[in-house]
Amino acid sequence: MQVDVNDAEFRRFIAHLRERRIPAKYLYAGSAAALHARFAIEYSEEYVDGRVDHEIATLLAAQGAAGPPRQICDIGPSNGAHTLQFLRRYGEMGGQVTRYLGLDFSEPLLRVARRRLEYVLPAEHAFGQWDAELLPSERIESWRTDDVVLICFLGNTLGNVDDPVGVLRNLRSSVREGDRLLLGVYATPVAESAGDAMRTYTHPAVRQMIKEPLTWVGVTDELFDLSVVHEPGAIHARIRLRESIVVKGIRFEAGEEIHCFTSRRFDAGLVADLLRRSGWELERWTREGAIDHLVSLARAVGSGRA
């Protein structure tokens, strides 16, 4: 079996599997990275969903006399499809990006993003691998100038991590006081639209993405059933094994469940609390009800980077 992640990362993946859980970041690594690259081409219309206009409008409405930041650090550009829209719209609305840094857990997707974005990036651009769930990054400090940096943390990436406060603290520790964070998350749906969020997970491509990390270790479709359930504040995906199997020395019994991922939903109060607890001061937030999307702009405050 060939796995497109480094040996240390694969060992961490196996350790998680031993605990019967797969963090969402592994939906973007290994063979799953190739799926995301393909989806950006096959389902390009799915990426044009109104989120970019919402993000840009929230950011520009709060800009000061200096105008929107010219340095952008993009956390989790993935296949680059969303970032491409964002940068184009940013320029159309008066923003000027002079420096760009893309940081992602998945090195294969960084290569995909680099190819997709090469025609819209400023001359001063760079990419690097970073797992924001593990520790702060020194890469931002070595890349930046003294001007304000805008950290873009979009696409509900915060909703997919195990410890949202820990990740926000790692971000805070990676930047300087006064830097800005543009955070985009999925909002807790109103009752009428709750079913829309669940329908996303009936799409064959999405279900394939959820199951893909298991193919790294030879667990094929016929060995398990996948269920996706909506619980208050989150959507959870789990698989239930149809028979007993041994995976990398780990024995799983028939009927056992493996937790595949959690995708959280947020309201404004929860986002404000998470930001406050992690060294960020909320400056503005807006919600776009038609797409259940919440965007917040925050400022790095207090102790963080020395």
Side-chain angles (χ1 to χ4, degrees):
M1 177 187 61
Q2 182 176 356
V3 179
D4 198 4
V5 290
N6 61 52
D7 290 343
E9 194 56 62
F10 188 60
R11 287 195 296 271
R12 281 193 284 268
F13 172 73
I14 295 300
H16 290 302
L17 194 60
R18 191 179 299 277
E19 297 174 354
R20 276 57 177 174
R21 54 184 293 273
I22 301 173
K25 61 189 175 186
Y26 293 104
L27 274 64
Y28 302 87
S31 56
L35 284 181
H36 282 276
R38 199 178 82 212
F39 291 164
I41 299 171
E42 294 182 3
Y43 304 104
S44 58
E45 70 283 355
E46 298 292 331
Y47 292 87
V48 184
D49 55 9
R51 286 181 297 157
V52 166
D53 286 343
H54 185 204
E55 292 154 1
I56 297 293
T58 304
L59 173 64
L60 296 185
Q63 67 179 314
R70 297 187 175 192
Q71 299 184 101
I72 288 182
C73 177
D74 189 14
I75 308 298
S78 185
N79 57 31
H82 185 88
T83 298
L84 179 62
Q85 294 179 62
F86 183 93
L87 292 177
R88 284 175 171 168
R89 189 66 173 148
Y90 195 69
E92 292 168 358
M93 298 299 291
Q96 182 182 4
V97 181
T98 58
R99 300 177 69 84
Y100 172 89
L101 174 64
L103 299 176
D104 202 291
F105 167 75
S106 172
E107 291 184 294
L109 281 176
L110 281 171
R111 295 192 291 270
V112 172
R114 183 190 293 268
R115 289 194 296 270
R116 176 161 283 111
L117 300 173
E118 60 181 341
Y119 299 109
V120 299
L121 291 177
E124 296 293 334
H125 66 267
F127 292 84
Q129 194 274 340
W130 178 36
D131 186 348
E133 294 194 73
L134 290 183
L135 73 174
S137 172
E138 295 294 331
R139 186 65 185 273
I140 300 173
E141 181 63 23
S142 63
W143 156 84
R144 66 175 300 156
T145 68
D146 287 338
D147 292 335
V148 170
V149 172
L150 175 67
I151 304 294
C152 290
F153 197 34
L154 307 172
N156 201 50
T157 304
L158 185 69
N160 296 334
V161 302
D162 288 342
D163 179 10
V165 170
V167 169
L168 289 172
R169 284 176 177 159
N170 285 340
L171 283 175
R172 173 64 190 93
S173 297
S174 302
V175 301
R176 299 180 188 177
E177 186 170 2
D179 286 338
R180 297 302 197 273
L181 171 66
L182 186 67
L183 177 66
V185 296
Y186 294 143
T188 304
V190 295
E192 307 87 67
S193 63
D196 294 337
M198 286 301 295
R199 275 193 288 275
T200 299
Y201 297 94
T202 66
H203 195 294
V206 175
R207 295 180 76 84
Q208 182 183 2
M209 177 186 71
I210 296 169
K211 296 184 289 185
E212 191 65 24
L214 292 167
T215 67
W216 296 0
V217 287
V219 183
T220 51
D221 283 13
E222 66 272 12
L223 296 175
F224 62 85
D225 297 303
L226 171 67
S227 65
V228 182
V229 297
H230 180 265
E231 297 177 0
I235 291 172
H236 303 276
R238 305 181 182 96
I239 68 147
R240 181 183 293 271
L241 294 168
R242 296 175 182 170
E243 58 186 72
S244 298
I245 59 173
V246 177
V247 179
K248 296 296 180 182
I250 309 168
R251 181 171 180 81
F252 297 87
E253 301 297 337
E256 272 200 80
E257 288 191 344
I258 299 174
H259 183 270
C260 293
F261 79 92
T262 293
S263 180
R264 295 178 181 83
R265 302 298 186 262
F266 300 84
D267 60 32
L270 176 57
V271 170
D273 181 61
L274 294 173
L275 291 169
R276 178 186 56 78
R277 291 164 57 196
S278 54
W280 299 92
E281 180 182 78
L282 180 63
E283 295 185 318
R284 182 181 180 86
W285 68 270
T286 61
R287 173 176 175 145
E288 180 54 64
I291 55 175
D292 289 328
H293 191 233
L294 186 68
V295 177
S296 302
L297 182 67
R299 176 179 179 273
V301 295
S303 60
R305 169 166 293 278

